[in-house]
Amino acid sequence: MKLMLKFFACIAVVFAVSSCQEAVNKANTEQQADTKKPKIAFAGIAIESSTFSPAQSHEEAFHVKIGDDIFGVYDFMAKGQPLRERANWVPTLKGKSVPGGIVTKEAYESMVNKTLTMLKKDLPYDGVFLDLHGAMSVVGLDDPEGDFITRVREVVGDETLISTSMDLHGNVSWTLATESDLITCYRMAPHEDALESRQRAIDNLITRLESGKGKPAYKAWIPVPILLPGEKTSTRIEPAKSLYAKVAPAAAQEGVVDAAIWVGYPWADEPRNHAVVMVVGDDKEKVVASAEDMAQHFWSVRNEFDFVAPVATLEASLEKALNSKVKPYIISDTGDNPTAGGAGDVTWTLHELLKRPEFKKADGPSLIYASIPGPAFVKEALEIGIGGEIDAHAGADVDDRYAPPVRLKGTIQAIREGDRDAGVEVVVRVGSMDVIVTGKRKPYHHEADFTDLGLDPHKADIVMVKIGYLVPELYNMRADWTMALTPGGVDQDLIRIGHKRIQRPMFPFDPDMADPDLKARLVPLSNEK
């Protein structure tokens, strides 16, 4: 019996040793696999900011995420997803703000310095992914993205590959083009391919590192002297539809890594604000030819760009909506569009609405207005409560150039607290209008933005939103649509708004300008500057 027990004990020891050895071997294999993966840092600061608005953007507007929290908004970077598993990731800082006014120097420096400090802790890196917008304006800086990437490059070194993903409404300076080894932007406006574009930028980066090919040998950069609003360059319609249809085939060529067209950001007055075409790859002839083909096409159709929807004065837009036999009729209050960089609190349109006799009676045409910030109004509404009567002012705390704060006297229909952007939302019924007043500015893009407040936009006669071209949910919701040409920091009348520092000549500011030189300019590699 004792011999048998010793035998089984020995067997157990053998199995235990074997299991331990298997575990050690597995751990060693996994460790070896990890050491073969490229080490990539992840960072980004993104905002679209108007220099024609008196608003300023502070750090809290960026909802900064640190470390692994960064990956929460990228489905393709969740644990277990292929891109996540193909590299050893070092997430640092990602700040993304709703478009707004110029960023304070303090906010910019704070976010940049935090990023650089985190990058220094885990040096060296094989690659860096930068998630940018490209239209950030900062007090005292003409090229914030160029400054940011330069400072990142000083930390990580010239040999590290940097892949940059951007919005097509961004701007690509020579500096940004030089320091980016791989660069791309969205190919759709509205930006239904935003995540897809970031995924492509990361995949390109990892593939170049895995293959050992490293930095693409050639980067062609062509500035195109065109500066148009997104409302005229939507890829839903021609000529942008056909122009952007050239991008994917150009990028798919053997010897080309990626291709992109930026239309630029028109509501900032800086020398870098203009359209740009870029192609990167290893085949010089294809890189240059593809860039020049797209740039020439862009220039050749410059006179064909037009608004993506019918445009009219506010008065004419309202007449169309009131005479419409379908609903909801959506009117874009374009001049103060916070999704393009407007302050979001211009009251001019609301003042005009309150003058209209059609909306003064409770049984008049139903209209939802989204929205106007009014912190003091919201505070008073919270004290009064749902169902109570309120008589208070809202709006024009930031941008009072066109109209003063608006007096809203009516019944509180709904109060919702805790919204990420708005803080508190209040619906006040004024005549036949439901006006949404917010603690902080908030763009209304989604059906849930309305239904969460007890509003049914499908049943409203008119829905008026502070926006330009409609994002997909609103576009699909509309029965008809007009963009009202209203005043504000992102006025659609670019000639009227008063640029002084952009490079001239520039279309459409100089409609009779001579044809520009659209030959490709080869950008030096970041390690050959």
Side-chain angles (χ1 to χ4, degrees):
M1 187 66 177
K2 288 182 179 180
L3 286 172
M4 190 167 289
L5 288 173
K6 286 182 179 179
F7 173 76
F8 283 120
C10 289
I11 294 294
V13 169
V14 170
F15 276 116
V17 170
S18 176
S19 297
C20 287
Q21 189 59 50
E22 286 178 11
V24 169
N25 290 341
K26 183 180 179 183
N28 287 337
T29 301
E30 289 176 351
Q31 187 175 12
Q32 288 170 3
D34 276 346
T35 58
K36 292 179 181 178
K37 293 178 182 179
K39 181 181 175 185
I40 302 175
F42 197 116
I45 305 172
I47 186 175
E48 187 176 63
S49 40
S50 170
T51 62
F52 294 104
S53 165
Q56 289 196 333
S57 297
H58 301 272
E59 188 170 356
E60 57 267 24
F62 286 82
H63 303 287
V64 168
K65 295 184 182 297
I66 301 290
D68 281 344
D69 286 346
I70 287 176
F71 296 133
V73 296
Y74 306 91
D75 293 342
F76 59 86
M77 288 298 290
K79 287 183 178 178
Q81 291 297 313
L83 284 183
R84 180 73 178 266
E85 300 306 317
R86 283 170 64 189
N88 293 317
W89 291 95
V90 182
T92 59
L93 177 148
K94 173 67 195 300
K96 185 177 187 301
S97 172
V98 170
I102 193 168
V103 180
T104 66
K105 192 68 179 296
E106 293 76 17
Y108 172 76
E109 288 296 333
S110 173
M111 290 184 286
V112 170
N113 286 324
K114 287 174 184 174
T115 301
L116 300 180
T117 298
M118 285 183 273
L119 283 172
K120 290 173 184 175
K121 288 180 180 178
D122 283 286
L123 290 168
Y125 302 98
D126 299 300
V128 176
F129 171 65
L130 290 182
D131 190 353
L132 308 177
H133 181 287
M136 173 167 55
S137 294
V138 174
V139 176
L141 277 181
D142 267 348
D143 182 15
E145 284 85 1
D147 175 78
F148 180 41
I149 196 171
T150 298
R151 291 163 72 176
V152 168
R153 180 65 77 187
E154 288 170 355
V155 170
V156 303
D158 288 337
E159 298 303 321
T160 300
L161 264 71
I162 296 181
S163 181
T164 305
S165 175
M166 298 172 67
D167 189 305
L168 63 82
H169 296 126
N171 310 290
V172 184
S173 67
W174 181 260
T175 299
L176 183 58
T178 301
E179 300 296 359
S180 296
D181 300 301
L182 298 156
I183 189 166
T184 194
C185 71
Y186 308 158
R187 298 170 180 174
M188 297 176 71
H191 308 316
E192 296 170 65
D193 66 332
L195 283 178
E196 178 187 330
S197 299
R198 294 178 175 99
Q199 188 170 351
R200 181 176 66 252
I202 292 173
D203 183 64
N204 286 342
L205 174 60
I206 296 176
T207 299
R208 297 295 293 194
L209 291 170
E210 289 175 338
S211 66
K213 291 181 178 179
K215 300 173 186 286
Y218 301 100
K219 297 183 289 185
W221 178 84
I222 305 177
V224 184
I226 296 174
L227 190 59
L228 293 168
E231 285 69 23
K232 282 190 173 182
T233 52
S234 172
T235 58
R236 282 181 180 146
I237 62 170
E238 297 294 352
K241 186 176 182 179
S242 293
L243 173 64
Y244 273 85
K246 299 174 79 70
V247 177
Q253 297 175 94
E254 186 72 29
V256 174
V257 179
D258 212 333
I261 300 172
W262 289 260
V263 298
Y265 179 67
W267 293 296
D269 193 11
E270 297 164 350
R272 66 180 181 145
N273 289 78
H274 52 75
V276 162
V277 172
M278 273 197 77
V279 179
V280 299
D282 298 314
D283 186 316
K284 182 179 180 180
E285 185 177 336
K286 289 179 182 176
V287 166
V288 168
S290 298
E292 291 180 351
D293 175 63
M294 289 189 290
Q296 191 59 55
H297 184 104
F298 198 165
W299 181 251
S300 70
V301 297
R302 66 191 180 283
N303 288 303
E304 298 174 29
F305 288 99
D306 203 354
F307 287 110
V308 68
V311 295
T313 63
L314 176 63
E315 182 179 8
S317 300
L318 285 169
E319 291 301 325
K320 288 183 179 182
L322 290 167
N323 291 318
S324 175
K325 299 189 184 309
V326 295
K327 61 182 180 181
Y329 194 107
I330 296 182
I331 298 176
S332 297
D333 184 1
T334 62
D336 190 38
N337 171 15
T339 71
D345 78 336
V346 173
T347 58
W348 183 86
T349 298
L350 262 177
H351 276 286
E352 296 301 306
L353 289 174
L354 291 169
K355 295 175 186 175
R356 302 281 304 208
E358 299 93 340
F359 305 118
K360 290 186 180 293
K361 295 181 180 179
D363 60 353
S366 57
L367 183 148
I368 298 173
Y369 186 84
S371 61
I372 192 75
F377 186 99
V378 164
K379 183 179 179 182
E380 188 170 337
L382 285 169
E383 294 172 357
I384 296 170
I386 296 173
E389 299 296 315
I390 188 169
D391 185 353
H393 288 79
D397 282 339
V398 175
D399 196 346
D400 63 355
R401 294 173 295 173
Y402 310 99
V406 63
R407 180 186 179 190
L408 297 173
K409 181 180 180 182
T411 306
I412 299 170
Q413 302 294 307
I415 297 176
R416 181 171 179 263
E417 300 183 61
D419 184 83
R420 177 179 179 271
D421 294 311
V424 180
E425 299 164 286
V426 174
V427 178
V428 57
R429 175 76 52 78
V430 182
S432 62
M433 297 191 300
D434 284 314
V435 180
I436 303 173
V437 184
T438 58
K440 295 179 288 184
R441 70 194 181 101
K442 174 189 173 179
Y444 283 72
H445 288 165
H446 308 291
E447 186 170 344
D449 291 336
F450 299 95
T451 56
D452 286 348
L453 294 169
L455 300 170
D456 187 345
H458 294 279
K459 293 182 179 178
D461 294 313
I462 303 170
V463 176
M464 186 172 287
V465 285
K466 280 181 178 279
I467 201 168
Y469 62 69
L470 299 182
V471 295
E473 274 195 56
L474 294 179
Y475 185 78
N476 294 333
M477 180 193 300
R478 90 213 182 287
D480 205 347
W481 171 34
T482 299
M483 294 198 302
L485 299 177
T486 55
V490 290
D491 194 324
Q492 293 291 327
D493 188 341
L494 297 185
I495 310 303
R496 174 172 72 183
I497 206 166
H499 293 78
K500 292 181 174 59
R501 302 183 62 239
I502 57 172
Q503 297 182 46
R504 304 290 288 269
M506 179 82 69
F507 182 86
F509 303 87
D510 305 291
D512 299 322
M513 64 182 284
D515 289 342
D517 177 4
L518 296 177
K519 292 239 181 351
R521 302 163 199 199
L522 290 175
V523 184
L525 302 190
S526 57
N527 58 345
E528 296 178 355
K529 297 188 292 289

